[in-house]
Amino acid sequence: MRLVEIYQCLCDETRLRLLNLLQTGPLCVCHLQEVLDMGQVAVSKHLGYLRRHGLVTATREGKWRIYRLVDPAPPELRRHLACLQDCTREIPLFCEDQRRLAARLQDCCPPGPRAGTREPSAIHFRTKPNP
Amino acid sequence: MRLVEIYQCLCDETRLRLLNLLQTGPLCVCHLQEVLDMGQVAVSKHLGYLRRHGLVTATREGKWRIYRLVDPAPPELRRHLACLQDCTREIPLFCEDQRRLAARLQDCCPPGPRAGTREPSAIHFRTKPNP
DNA sequence: ACCTCATATTCCCTTAACGGAATATGAATG
DNA sequence: CATTCATATTCCGTTAAGGGAATATGAGGT
C-alpha cells in the first residue's frame, strides 16, 4: 500500500470518523450513517473510497453490508491507524461518536462482545424499522 | 492543530518528500528544489502550503529562505512525523532523496553537523552558481 | 412475481488542488 | 541605482473531491 494513498484516505473528517468507529468493530452502513448524522450518499461514497483504497472490506449479511477494517492490515496502515487512535482519543467529536455508537447498538444488538464475533446477527440485528 | 489539517498536508507525495528532507535539518528552497528535481513554482507552493498549515517555519538568511520543521511541534504532529519517518525509512524514493541531499550538501556546506546549527552559512553556502 | 429495505451509482454543481508561464518582490552586489 | 539571484505570487487550465437528488441494484419478505 502506498503511503500517500493512506494519507489521502485520512485527509477527510468524515472518513476519520468512519475509521474511528470501525476501530471498535465491524459495522453496517446504516449504523454509521446514524451516528455520523450524514446523508446516505456521503457515507456510502466515503466507505466506497476507503474500500477501493484497501483500508476496509465489505461483506453482505442479509440485506446489510458490513464494513470492517482490513485484516490483516499492512504494516504502514497499522502504524497509522494506531497513531490516529492515539490522537482521536483526546478529541471530543470522536469520543462523542463512540458514545453515540454504543448507545445506538444497545437497542439493536444482543449483549456481549461485538468485534470479532462470527454471527452476523451480532453485527446487525435491527429491532426498529427505519423512519 | 487539527488532525485533518495534518493529513491534508501529508496527502501529497511532493510534500512528503519535502518533510522527509526537512527532518534531517533546516534547508533552503533551492536545495529542496534540486533534490526533488521539480519546478520552482511547485516546490515554493508546497512549502507555502506547509507553512500556512503550521508544519514548517521559514526565515530569511541573506538571499535565501530557510525552511525548517516547526519547533516545538504540537503532540499530534510529532506523533505523525515519527510515524511517517518509520515508514519512509523503507521506501526507496525517500532514501534516494536523502542520499541526493547529502551529496548536494557536500559541495555546498562546510563539514560538521548541520541541523540545529546557529550559523546561517552552515545551512546554505552556495559554492557554484545556478545553471 | 411484486414490494420494501439497505446500499450503491449516476448526474450535476461547487470548490479546491496541482503545475507551469509569466511576473513581482526583496536582498545583495557591483 | 541597476542588476542579479532566490523565492513568492498571479493567472490559467486541468483534474479531482465532496455532497445532494434521483435512480439503480440486489436481497428478503409477502
Side-chain angles (χ1 to χ4, degrees):
Chain A
M1 181 177 305
R2 280 194 20 242
L3 202 50
V4 182
E5 210 173 356
I6 294 180
Y7 289 124
Q8 281 168 347
C9 288
L10 298 180
C11 76
D12 176 90
E13 185 173 270
T14 303
R15 288 196 288 269
L16 287 186
R17 295 175 72 190
L18 289 172
L19 291 169
N20 172 52
L21 293 174
L22 287 172
Q23 276 181 330
T24 72
L27 287 168
C28 72
V29 179
C30 57
H31 282 157
L32 292 166
Q33 183 180 339
E34 286 176 33
V35 171
L36 297 199
D37 192 26
M38 292 184 59
Q40 184 253 323
V41 177
V43 174
S44 176
K45 277 188 185 168
H46 282 299
L47 286 170
Y49 189 99
L50 292 174
R51 190 171 49 74
R52 281 194 303 279
H53 290 277
L55 272 70
V56 304
T57 58
T59 57
R60 272 210 112 90
E61 304 283 1
K63 310 206 285 190
W64 298 285
R65 193 165 288 261
I66 308 296
Y67 281 87
R68 60 198 82 209
L69 292 183
V70 62
D71 185 41
E76 324 86 88
L77 181 58
R78 268 188 316 153
R79 282 182 200 160
H80 280 91
L81 289 180
C83 192
L84 173 62
Q85 209 164 19
D86 279 348
C87 294
T88 53
R89 216 190 305 283
E90 303 156 6
I91 299 174
L93 174 61
F94 296 93
C95 300
E96 284 165 30
D97 279 351
Q98 299 252 9
R99 281 193 287 101
R100 267 201 301 275
L101 175 64
R104 181 63 187 80
L105 290 180
Q106 284 231 329
D107 45 57
C108 171
C109 298
R114 178 176 46 91
T117 181
R118 293 272 163 58
E119 292 98 325
S121 64
I123 293 166
H124 191 300
F125 183 73
R126 179 170 290 281
T127 53
K128 306 170 190 170
N130 257 352
Chain B
M1 180 177 306
R2 279 194 21 241
L3 202 50
V4 182
E5 209 173 356
I6 294 180
Y7 289 124
Q8 282 168 347
C9 288
L10 299 180
C11 75
D12 176 90
E13 186 174 272
T14 303
R15 288 196 287 270
L16 287 186
R17 295 175 71 190
L18 290 172
L19 290 169
N20 173 51
L21 293 174
L22 287 172
Q23 276 181 331
T24 71
L27 287 168
C28 72
V29 179
C30 56
H31 281 158
L32 292 167
Q33 184 179 339
E34 287 176 33
V35 172
L36 297 200
D37 192 26
M38 291 185 59
Q40 184 254 323
V41 177
V43 175
S44 176
K45 276 188 186 169
H46 282 299
L47 287 170
Y49 189 99
L50 292 174
R51 191 170 49 74
R52 281 193 304 279
H53 290 277
L55 272 70
V56 305
T57 57
T59 56
R60 272 211 113 90
E61 304 281 2
K63 309 205 286 190
W64 298 285
R65 194 166 288 261
I66 308 297
Y67 280 86
R68 63 198 80 208
L69 292 182
V70 62
D71 184 42
E76 324 86 88
L77 181 57
R78 267 189 316 154
R79 281 183 202 160
H80 279 91
L81 289 180
C83 192
L84 173 62
Q85 210 165 17
D86 280 349
C87 293
T88 54
R89 217 191 306 283
E90 303 156 8
I91 299 174
L93 174 61
F94 295 94
C95 300
E96 284 166 30
D97 280 351
Q98 300 252 8
R99 283 193 287 101
R100 268 202 299 276
L101 176 63
R104 182 61 187 83
L105 290 180
Q106 283 231 330
D107 45 57
C108 170
C109 297
R114 177 175 48 89
T117 180
R118 294 273 163 58
E119 292 99 327
S121 63
I123 292 167
H124 191 300
F125 183 73
R126 180 171 289 282
T127 53
K128 305 171 189 170
N130 257 352

